[in-house]
Amino acid sequence: MSQEKSATDYLKGWRSWRITRYYFFIALTAFFLILPWITVNGNHFFLLSFDKLKLHLMFVQFDMQEMYLMPFLLMLMFIGIFGMTVLGGRVFCGWICPQTIFRVIYRDLIETKLLGIRKRIKNKQIEPDYSESSNQIKRVVAILLWTALSFIATANLLWFFVPPEDFFAYLANPTEHLMLVGILVITALFLVADIVMIKEDWCEYVCPYSRIQSVLYDEDTVMTIYDPHRGGAIYNENSQKQVDSLSELHKLDQSAECTMCESCVTICPTHIDIRQGLQLACINCLECSDACTQVMGKLGKPSLIRWSSEKEVLFQNGKTDFFRPKIKGYIATLLAIVVILGLMGSEKELMLLNINKENRLYSIDIDRDTQKVRVKNDYIFLLQNTQDVDHKYYFDVIAPKEYEGKIMVLKPSEPFKVKPNIKKKKIVTLYTPELLVQEERKDTVIPITIRAYAIDAKDTIVVERKSTFVFPRYDKYKEGVKQ
Ligand code: SF4
Ligand code: SF4
């Protein structure tokens, strides 16, 4: 009676990892479904638009020429996942990976709960019996349901590359957007084949992430672990099963607590026995831990399978060190990348300008109005208005102190308008009416800075670019004057 009481107490208020994961999956799915629809000033949280050559990041729009942010985003993603793996093993696989979420939707929700093709979530080893005609019909219904969801999932993924406001307009006109339609259909059909036929084999044999994870683990990495010290060694050192029944186990180890009920094996979606030790196929879903908690809980004991570290469970060498140097290194690196991204993002240029000098170094002529000799340099300016409204632009020339105010803009003679997101090519001529240098041996290259700005926002929409102004050597200057 006293054991029953403690067992009741033990399981009172307990919530399975499976149900916790379901809530997490719902929250994650809702987040990713809603995110592409949220815009601030027409900008998305994340959008990599190849047709418009734009990157939206945290509701700020960047031009493709500002793609230097992309490597930092990829570093953030990869280092984040690696750090997560060092800390929590395959936590990404069990809690975040779309493959796992989709399999739960297809196997547990559609096949088991909705259609009853599978009998119990707790037994994933019994495959549906398709010799029954009713099951064959249900299978078709299951595949059709999943096909519809695959199209929604693929569309959701594509919305991070083609925003919803364009996506549906493009789909309304499919013949003009065959590439988009093709990617949508092929990816959705691949998802159907993957979730219905490849199943968890994807995690074990195809996914490259599962291959590299084991090299990231250390003894403090938290993962799904069976405790052989309490439960007994079901497998020997060569990973061969050495006991098949409770009596065999007790012959080997009288104090072994495992009941040999096999609940942890029958529930496993990847068809493995966690008592064999850490395995590549384990996706850290913790369903075996739930199963064992229910079995051992009824006996008033904690689960033999825990989400813990080898240090704590296998080596019994103290508590898991969560904030070990390796983890601090990952956190510091991630913070540094976030700061760099923030700084680079905040330095986003509100207009873009490329300057190329024309092949001809300079030309010399006489100003008809003033009759002064002019040395002219020509440039090609490629200017882009990255704002959402029209702006008029013009330039200033910033020359070294000795030439200050002596190099000026000749063409264009007045500010010009550029529409939003439009690139404008301008031939720009700078000139000087002064004899800047009297150098006999060679042309003089004067470093200058071009300051381009929007007339109505001179202090904010402004960029500066380095360039040069070439002044001819003195004999050529005189020759030009004579002509
Ligand atoms: S052994 Fe199986 S049930 Fe247990 S966490 Fe790994 S994949 Fe899930
Ligand atoms: S569920 Fe627990 S008690 Fe049952 S076989 Fe697995 S480890 Fe042993």
Side-chain angles (χ1 to χ4, degrees):
M1 185 68 194
S2 65
Q3 191 188 18
E4 245 175 59
K5 194 168 183 295
S6 71
T8 313
D9 283 349
Y10 194 80
L11 286 173
K12 203 160 84 181
W14 171 75
R15 188 164 73 200
S16 67
W17 286 113
R18 182 166 62 84
I19 298 299
T20 310
R21 279 168 69 237
Y22 286 176
Y23 282 130
F24 191 75
F25 291 167
I26 292 168
L28 204 63
T29 307
F31 175 75
F32 280 104
L33 271 172
I34 294 167
L35 193 62
W37 297 86
I38 301 172
T39 56
V40 175
N41 297 328
N43 299 327
H44 295 262
F45 180 80
F46 178 84
L47 171 70
L48 184 58
S49 166
F50 290 105
D51 65 330
K52 299 209 170 125
L53 300 177
K54 293 280 175 199
L55 168 69
H56 293 196
L57 192 59
M58 289 195 254
F59 305 112
V60 179
Q61 191 183 114
F62 296 90
D63 199 79
M64 277 290 172
Q65 279 139 301
E66 296 171 287
M67 284 298 274
Y68 50 78
L69 293 174
M70 223 32 217
F72 289 97
L73 280 181
L74 291 175
M75 276 161 66
L76 200 63
M77 188 177 85
F78 281 110
I79 296 174
I81 291 177
F82 289 167
M84 197 195 297
T85 309
V86 175
L87 188 67
R90 288 185 80 166
V91 67
F92 175 85
C93 304
W95 294 72
I96 301 169
C97 179
Q99 171 82 12
T100 303
I101 300 177
F102 295 162
R103 278 295 295 157
V104 165
I105 293 173
Y106 184 71
R107 182 194 57 225
D108 296 350
L109 179 65
I110 299 178
E111 282 192 326
T112 313
K113 288 287 172 196
L114 286 183
L115 301 174
I117 312 175
R118 289 175 185 273
K119 297 295 167 247
R120 297 166 68 221
I121 287 177
K122 283 186 178 171
N123 192 341
K124 299 189 181 70
Q125 311 316 311
I126 302 174
E127 285 300 312
D129 180 5
Y130 292 123
S131 61
E132 286 179 29
S133 60
S134 63
N135 272 357
Q136 287 172 5
I137 295 167
K138 284 179 183 174
R139 186 175 203 215
V140 174
V141 175
I143 293 174
L144 288 176
L145 277 174
W146 175 245
T147 305
L149 292 178
S150 291
F151 273 93
I152 296 173
T154 309
N156 191 182
L157 171 71
L158 290 175
W159 292 339
F160 292 96
F161 301 92
V162 181
E165 60 267 24
D166 293 341
F167 183 84
F168 292 104
Y170 291 174
L171 282 195
N173 208 347
T175 47
E176 282 185 21
H177 299 96
L178 286 176
M179 172 107 101
L180 178 72
V181 175
I183 292 173
L184 174 66
V185 172
I186 290 169
T187 311
L189 292 182
F190 169 76
L191 260 187
V192 174
D194 172 32
I195 298 305
V196 175
M197 289 185 283
I198 304 176
K199 305 182 218 175
E200 277 74 23
D201 284 347
W202 174 275
C203 311
E204 192 176 352
Y205 302 112
V206 186
C207 177
Y209 175 51
S210 76
R211 311 255 134 209
I212 55 161
Q213 289 172 80
S214 45
V215 298
L216 296 167
Y217 295 164
D218 58 33
E219 63 169 27
D220 284 295
T221 299
V222 175
M223 53 188 109
T224 315
I225 299 183
Y226 167 72
D227 184 350
H229 301 292
R230 280 183 52 217
I234 314 298
Y235 288 80
N236 66 18
E237 283 159 3
N238 299 323
S239 294
Q240 284 159 341
K241 201 168 185 187
Q242 53 184 356
V243 288
D244 280 316
S245 65
L246 193 56
S247 57
E248 279 179 26
L249 176 63
H250 282 167
K251 257 189 228 157
L252 200 73
D253 178 356
Q254 192 61 48
S255 62
E257 292 175 33
C258 178
T259 63
M260 297 297 283
C261 67
E262 309 289 290
S263 299
C264 54
V265 182
T266 51
I267 202 169
C268 178
T270 61
H271 318 296
I272 57 171
D273 185 346
I274 194 66
R275 297 171 302 172
Q276 199 175 352
L278 305 176
Q279 291 153 76
L280 199 65
C282 176
I283 56 167
N284 212 28
C285 68
L286 290 161
E287 295 210 22
C288 52
S289 175
D290 287 341
C292 195
T293 301
Q294 284 171 295
V295 173
M296 297 306 287
K298 285 180 189 147
L299 301 174
K301 295 177 184 175
S303 176
L304 296 172
I305 303 166
R306 289 152 56 193
W307 198 12
S308 188
S309 66
E310 287 184 299
K311 182 185 185 181
E312 214 167 307
V313 179
L314 296 185
F315 310 138
Q316 300 189 317
N317 190 20
K319 290 271 168 214
T320 306
D321 184 3
F322 289 103
F323 290 102
R324 52 199 185 275
K326 216 192 254 186
I327 298 297
K328 287 178 187 159
Y330 273 105
I331 293 172
T333 311
L334 288 172
L335 284 177
I337 297 171
V338 169
V339 170
I340 292 170
L341 254 178
L343 288 175
M344 291 178 106
S346 64
E347 276 175 16
K348 176 187 155 43
E349 292 183 314
L350 299 168
M351 60 184 279
L352 297 174
L353 177 64
N354 276 336
I355 296 179
N356 286 311
K357 204 159 183 325
E358 285 248 309
N359 292 339
R360 189 174 58 158
L361 289 178
Y362 51 77
S363 60
I364 303 168
D365 70 358
I366 309 283
D367 185 344
R368 279 200 208 127
D369 299 333
T370 62
Q371 292 303 305
K372 276 191 159 185
V373 179
R374 296 187 300 195
V375 174
K376 299 189 289 186
N377 280 209
D378 294 324
Y379 307 78
I380 300 169
F381 281 24
L382 193 62
L383 190 144
Q384 184 173 352
N385 177 2
T386 56
Q387 304 297 295
D388 297 326
V389 290
D390 292 0
H391 282 293
K392 277 189 166 183
Y393 296 94
Y394 204 59
F395 318 107
D396 284 341
V397 181
I398 303 167
K401 215 170 177 83
E402 62 268 41
Y403 309 117
E404 225 172 64
K406 295 177 180 171
I407 303 172
M408 291 161 282
V409 182
L410 181 66
K411 268 200 295 192
S413 54
E414 51 188 46
F416 56 93
K417 189 157 89 179
V418 184
K419 290 191 173 299
N421 296 314
I422 293 293
K423 281 184 189 151
K424 197 159 205 168
K425 197 171 169 184
K426 274 271 163 197
I427 303 294
V428 175
T429 305
L430 303 185
Y431 82 105
T432 179
E434 314 269 342
L435 175 61
L436 293 182
V437 222
Q438 200 167 322
E439 169 62 68
E440 306 285 349
R441 285 166 300 143
K442 56 179 176 27
D443 298 337
T444 304
V445 178
I446 300 168
I448 56 169
T449 300
I450 305 290
R451 189 168 185 277
Y453 53 88
I455 295 290
D456 55 337
K458 253 183 165 178
D459 296 326
T460 49
I461 303 180
V462 56
V463 295
E464 291 189 353
R465 295 283 180 271
K466 301 273 179 223
S467 190
T468 53
F469 185 87
V470 180
F471 195 86
R473 66 174 200 247
Y474 191 53
D475 60 324
K476 287 197 177 162
Y477 177 79
K478 282 195 297 188
E479 222 172 81
V481 172
K482 278 183 211 153
Q483 286 167 10

